[in-house]
Amino acid sequence: MAYTVSTHNLTHSGAMAMLQAAISKAEEIGQPQCIVIVDASGELLAEIRMTGAKFLSRKSALSKALTASSIRAGSETVPEHVRPFIAMATGGLVTGLPGGLPIIIDGVCVGGIGVGSGSGDQDLAVASAALRAVDTDV
């Protein structure tokens, strides 16, 4: 029986590369965003509220990142019929809003990114750009 497992961790350099790629994409599409990156345990690694982004979107971006990291899937995949109950049970930490994606490298989920302040499609475009910066599996 094994008592330990090997794991991968997203470094601060990886988080910063993701943040810069996300900012660049948000600027390209003309939509200021709140961007949050967490590790696999939900600890905050990096975040920014771009000038002009809605300040309350930081909270939804964090929930999106936590959701994606926890379920290892896009935040929008939370089934519609359970969203209110999960949100209530977790104090709003889990959401079904689009814009949260898991960070999967070499088949291992090393965290999540959440983006908010634009439309769902804009949020996903910015999150996807960040993933490409660290050559993820998604």
Side-chain angles (χ1 to χ4, degrees), residues 49-96:
R49 181 174 71 88
M50 294 174 64
T51 304
K54 302 168 195 157
F55 69 88
L56 283 177
S57 293
R58 188 231 165 243
K59 291 181 183 273
S60 64
L62 175 60
S63 293
K64 293 173 188 185
L66 291 170
T67 300
S69 182
S70 180
I71 67 171
R72 286 142 174 78
S75 54
E76 77 284 353
T77 65
V78 174
E80 186 74 39
H81 68 281
V82 300
R83 289 178 184 182
F85 304 109
I86 290 177
M88 201 170 11
T90 62
L93 294 178
V94 174
T95 185

Side-chain angles (χ1 to χ4, degrees), residues 15-122:
M16 292 304 293
M18 290 181 70
L19 200 57
Q20 185 56 58
I23 291 167
S24 293
K25 183 63 174 181
E27 289 174 340
E28 176 188 314
I29 65 174
Q31 178 57 59
Q33 296 280 20
C34 292
I35 304 158
V36 176
I37 300 169
V38 299
D39 70 11
S41 67
E43 287 297 317
L44 181 66
L45 295 178
E47 77 172 307
I48 190 167
R49 181 174 71 88
M50 294 174 64
T51 304
K54 302 168 195 157
F55 69 88
L56 283 177
S57 293
R58 188 231 165 243
K59 291 181 183 273
S60 64
L62 175 60
S63 293
K64 293 173 188 185
L66 291 170
T67 300
S69 182
S70 180
I71 67 171
R72 286 142 174 78
S75 54
E76 77 284 353
T77 65
V78 174
E80 186 74 39
H81 68 281
V82 300
R83 289 178 184 182
F85 304 109
I86 290 177
M88 201 170 11
T90 62
L93 294 178
V94 174
T95 185
L97 294 171
L101 294 174
I103 307 166
I104 299 174
I105 300 176
D106 296 331
V108 177
C109 182
V110 297
I113 180 168
V115 179
S117 205
S119 69
D121 288 342
Q122 289 172 321

